[in-house]
Amino acid sequence: MRKRPSFTRRDRLRYRVDNALTTGDVWWVIVWLAALILGFLLLMATLIGALGLTDESGREFGYVEGFWQALLRALDPGTMASDEAWPLRLTSLAVTLFGVLLVSTVIGITATGISARLGRIGRGRAPMIESGHTLVLGWSPKVQTLVAELAKGREGDRGASLVILAGREKAEMDEHVAGWTRAAPRLRVVTRTGEPHVANDLRIVNPQLARSVVVMRNGTIDGDARVIKTVLALLYDLKVPDDIPIVAELSTGASAEALRSVVGDRVVVVETGNLAARVIAQACRHPGVDRVLAELFDYSGSEIYTRRIPQVVGMSLADTALCFERSVPIGLITADGRVSVRPPGSTVVAEDDQLVVIAEDASSIHFRPAPDVSEPSPVPERPSATREPERALMFGFNEFAPLVLEELNDYVPHGSTITVVADPDLVGDLEGRLPTNLANLGIQSSQARLAPGVVRKLLAETDPDYVIVLCCRGSLTPTDADARTLMAFLEIGGAITTANMETNVVAELLDAADIALVPADWSDQLVLTEHLSSLFLTQVSENVNLAPVFDDLLDAEGTEIYCKPIHWYGRVDHTATFATLTLAAQRRDEIAIGYRRKRHEAALGNEVLINPPKSAEFVLNEGDALIVLASHER
């Protein structure tokens, strides 16, 4: 049997002191040193009294006075300068030497402890005592939009706080956040450095006391796995209460299904890839839909709220349409939590139902008896539901492109075709990455580098109804990806203008700042998918009831957002109030939520008005559109 090594007390003491000094836990060393100093001073006070030492006037020191004199000599070596008798000088010298040694040691160790504490705070590792905070776990380009939107959304809340935990330097995060929240100084933002998928790091930011938790996906290849691990740590290790909403961002449907299979409905899972694909699929066929979604997602204009309004109990949903001057009822949340967007107009509001409304803010939701409104013009006959097959072009390819194609398949008539063109240097095997066996959409592929001659040739060959330009996610940096997208977008737009083609173009951008680089009348054709995803995460983190509402609006089945020609709702060149247009939309089983006005100055682009006052008057011009919620595009 191996003999256990023996350690002396001196070895053990030195080991404990070394550990304390290296870990920063020095306070127990200070306590022991202070006790040692006190014991030594008491001993010297006893010695001074026993020797009968006297001061310069010949008066003997007592025990208390001896302790005081010893303390003064330990703290200040200059005190012994006035000592004259050699016994007192020798005693004072011993006290002073010992005092210099121990007191300087205490001062040094105290400075070390304070320095270690400050270093821990500077590294973002200090525990915090925030409660009722919005907790953001992880770091990605979406964090900027999320922080800025939360700052706007909680601007009136003096106690609002936002906490970010990410694997980045605290100083770097603080520098970024200071610029994002400059316009909303009331929001207190606290940053901490740590890995969100590590339970011990999560404990630093008190997720059990948060108002809501948002788990962000970073851009790494294992980003989804980290998000799932973080969620599992929150639920099963830290035991975050059920009343704290958790919103998790994932990129693929497979990851989302894997997480839902474990946590069920406890966590709101946002599939950003699916969200981007849905927005692009709708925007390319119905220009302006992405701008409507941006208006509903952000906190600058009108948003979607859920409110229980006693005055509408017993009324049908159709009858509530004109009861709000500055709000638009669009659905209900029943007592058992079921969300219904654009239910039948005859649906009666029950006592425990919440109304889903579009409003500028919560304070603008005011009930009033419905006023008398002039009857709308006779609605023209509904256009034929029969649609011709559509032709489309897609330039560029990324990880979300297959989702875009699958979404388009749900929208287009049978027999539609799309030609996918990608740069072989960036995509590789394009054919093997395309979805197969789509019911309505036939796919043709071509690998070519974009050049003016190639663009014009493809446009002439396919004569597309719309063109989609996707950014090169993953293959390039966001800046370089946007540069390529803008170059392709301008080439395509120029070729379409030269050929005088009636073709809609939609281009995907990653950085919202790049939208300022194109003319205003072209900016309507740029879709900021990352920006919209960030806005979506923000809205859902503040109200999880909105997740099924937005999901319904983005789904190919059920209710969607459409911008429909204004002549379907009234006579062109005549004036109508938005209340009259609301009634005209009701006749078509639709809900009017806004108006898109075509400006005569092309450089200004189209004007999108969401939730205008019911009394607002519009001159109905050809090219204008009513923004409605409907189940069909005809």
Side-chain angles (χ1 to χ4, degrees):
M1 184 175 180
R2 180 178 298 180
K3 184 180 179 181
R4 295 184 61 185
S6 60
F7 300 104
T8 65
R9 291 185 178 180
R10 180 180 179 183
D11 292 334
R12 296 179 186 277
L13 179 62
R14 178 179 296 174
Y15 177 71
R16 294 188 65 183
V17 171
D18 288 346
N19 282 342
L21 293 176
T22 55
T23 61
D25 187 19
V26 299
W27 305 112
W28 73 270
V29 178
I30 295 175
V31 172
W32 278 105
L33 286 174
L36 181 60
I37 293 173
L38 178 62
F40 177 75
L41 293 177
L42 292 174
L43 176 63
M44 296 309 297
T46 303
L47 180 62
I48 290 173
L51 294 176
L53 299 180
T54 61
D55 60 15
E56 63 272 10
S57 63
R59 182 170 55 87
E60 288 189 6
F61 295 114
Y63 184 82
V64 175
E65 184 63 22
F67 178 85
W68 178 250
Q69 292 299 324
L71 177 62
L72 291 179
R73 285 158 175 76
L75 295 176
D76 183 8
T79 305
M80 63 179 290
S82 61
D83 296 340
E84 296 181 353
W86 276 105
L88 180 59
R89 287 178 176 178
L90 293 175
T91 304
S92 297
L93 179 61
V95 173
T96 299
L97 290 176
F98 191 81
V100 168
L101 175 64
L102 291 186
V103 172
S104 61
T105 302
V106 171
I107 293 174
I109 292 177
T110 302
T112 300
I114 294 174
S115 176
R117 184 66 177 176
L118 292 176
R120 185 177 177 83
I121 295 173
R123 293 193 303 272
R125 299 294 297 169
M128 43 162 276
I129 58 172
E130 295 285 342
S131 62
H133 53 289
T134 300
L135 176 59
V136 178
L137 302 176
W139 189 273
S140 76
K142 296 184 179 69
V143 172
Q144 176 177 357
T145 301
L146 191 144
V147 171
E149 285 299 311
L150 284 174
K152 290 189 291 185
R154 304 188 67 184
E155 189 173 2
D157 186 355
R158 291 181 177 274
S161 60
L162 173 69
V163 177
I164 302 174
L165 174 69
R168 300 173 74 96
E169 293 292 334
K170 175 177 170 58
E172 180 187 358
M173 291 190 287
D174 288 341
E175 183 179 355
H176 285 296
V177 168
W180 300 339
T181 60
R182 190 171 291 115
R186 288 186 178 179
L187 179 69
R188 184 174 66 257
V189 181
V190 180
T191 59
R192 288 291 184 268
T193 299
E195 294 298 338
H197 60 280
V198 178
N200 285 336
D201 289 354
L202 283 173
R203 290 186 175 91
I204 297 175
V205 291
N206 295 340
Q208 302 95 327
L209 302 177
R211 166 181 171 146
S212 62
V213 181
V214 182
V215 186
M216 306 288 290
R217 182 187 184 277
N218 59 24
T220 61
I221 192 171
D222 62 343
D224 280 3
R226 289 178 174 235
V227 170
I228 291 175
K229 186 178 179 182
T230 301
V231 172
L232 297 179
L234 289 169
L235 294 180
Y236 302 117
D237 193 343
L238 277 71
K239 303 292 192 299
V240 172
D242 291 343
D243 60 343
I244 297 177
I246 299 176
V247 181
E249 177 196 10
L250 294 172
S251 64
T252 66
S255 299
E257 287 304 316
L259 182 58
R260 290 191 183 103
S261 67
V262 177
V263 301
D265 296 333
R266 172 64 183 88
V267 177
V268 178
V269 180
V270 177
E271 302 172 49
T272 51
N274 196 19
L275 174 64
R278 289 177 173 185
V279 172
I280 293 172
Q282 290 192 31
C284 68
R285 303 180 69 257
H286 302 283
V289 168
D290 57 301
R291 289 189 60 187
V292 176
L293 289 171
E295 287 282 335
L296 295 178
F297 287 173
D298 70 15
Y299 284 103
S300 298
S302 293
E303 304 91 48
I304 298 179
Y305 295 88
T306 58
R307 286 291 182 275
R308 184 173 288 108
I309 303 175
Q311 295 93 327
V312 301
V313 173
M315 297 177 61
S316 68
L317 191 63
D319 290 339
T320 67
L322 301 181
C323 293
F324 300 89
E325 169 68 10
R326 298 302 304 268
S327 307
V328 180
I330 64 170
L332 293 173
I333 299 180
T334 59
D336 58 0
R338 289 185 297 107
V339 178
S340 179
V341 179
R342 198 185 63 85
S346 58
T347 303
V348 176
V349 182
E351 184 176 357
D352 293 328
D353 289 350
Q354 295 185 62
L355 210 60
V356 181
V357 299
I358 298 175
E360 188 172 351
D361 53 59
S363 61
S364 66
I365 305 174
H366 296 297
F367 176 86
R368 60 159 191 193
D372 293 331
V373 176
S374 59
E375 287 295 319
S377 303
V379 180
E381 184 178 347
R382 186 184 296 273
S384 172
T386 303
R387 295 182 294 157
E388 295 295 325
E390 299 174 3
R391 300 177 303 278
L393 259 178
M394 176 185 286
F395 289 101
F397 200 86
N398 57 36
E399 59 181 329
F400 297 150
L403 295 176
V404 175
L405 296 172
E406 290 172 1
E407 284 293 321
L408 274 175
N409 177 70
D410 294 335
Y411 286 104
V412 299
H414 181 72
S416 298
T417 58
I418 186 169
T419 301
V420 180
V421 184
D423 189 332
D425 295 336
L426 299 176
V427 176
D429 180 21
L430 175 62
E431 192 70 31
R433 300 174 63 183
L434 296 171
T436 58
N437 299 324
L438 297 181
N440 299 321
L441 186 65
I443 303 176
Q444 300 174 354
S445 63
S446 173
Q447 292 192 307
R449 295 175 181 85
L450 288 186
V454 174
V455 169
R456 286 192 292 270
K457 180 175 181 293
L458 287 168
L459 288 172
E461 289 177 351
T462 59
D463 188 22
D465 298 299
Y466 44 87
V467 178
I468 302 172
V469 184
L470 296 182
C471 67
C472 301
R473 293 172 179 265
S475 304
L476 301 171
T477 65
T479 300
D480 292 339
D482 277 359
R484 284 205 175 210
T485 299
L486 287 173
M487 181 182 70
F489 172 66
L490 294 176
E491 289 177 355
I492 295 166
I496 289 174
T497 301
T498 302
N500 197 26
M501 300 173 63
E502 293 291 333
T503 302
N504 182 44
V505 182
V506 167
E508 177 194 19
L509 286 183
L510 299 179
D511 190 348
D514 290 337
I515 202 168
L517 303 180
V518 301
D521 56 328
W522 287 28
S523 63
D524 293 346
Q525 299 169 311
L526 298 175
V527 179
L528 303 170
T529 51
E530 293 294 283
H531 182 67
L532 285 172
S533 299
S534 305
L535 296 176
F536 185 93
L537 286 168
T538 307
Q539 288 282 347
V540 174
S541 70
E542 291 292 282
N543 186 355
V544 293
N545 288 330
L546 296 181
V549 175
F550 292 139
D551 189 62
D552 194 341
L553 295 179
L554 292 168
D555 197 356
E557 298 180 359
T559 297
E560 300 158 83
I561 299 173
Y562 293 97
C563 300
K564 298 190 177 184
I566 196 62
H567 64 258
W568 292 1
Y569 304 90
R571 294 179 181 175
V572 174
D573 296 331
H574 284 67
T575 300
T577 65
F578 190 66
T580 300
L581 296 174
T582 297
L583 295 180
Q586 277 191 353
R587 289 185 177 182
R588 295 169 50 89
D589 195 24
E590 301 168 350
I591 297 178
I593 64 171
Y595 194 93
R596 192 187 71 186
R597 184 157 46 199
K598 184 176 181 180
R599 288 172 167 165
H600 298 295
E601 304 86 353
L604 296 177
N606 294 323
E607 180 184 18
V608 173
L609 302 171
I610 301 298
N611 181 35
K614 298 295 189 304
S615 57
E617 294 186 343
F618 296 93
V619 178
L620 311 184
N621 294 312
E622 194 65 45
D624 291 355
L626 192 65
I627 304 170
V628 299
L629 303 184
S631 59
H632 45 77
E633 59 182 287
R634 295 290 180 175

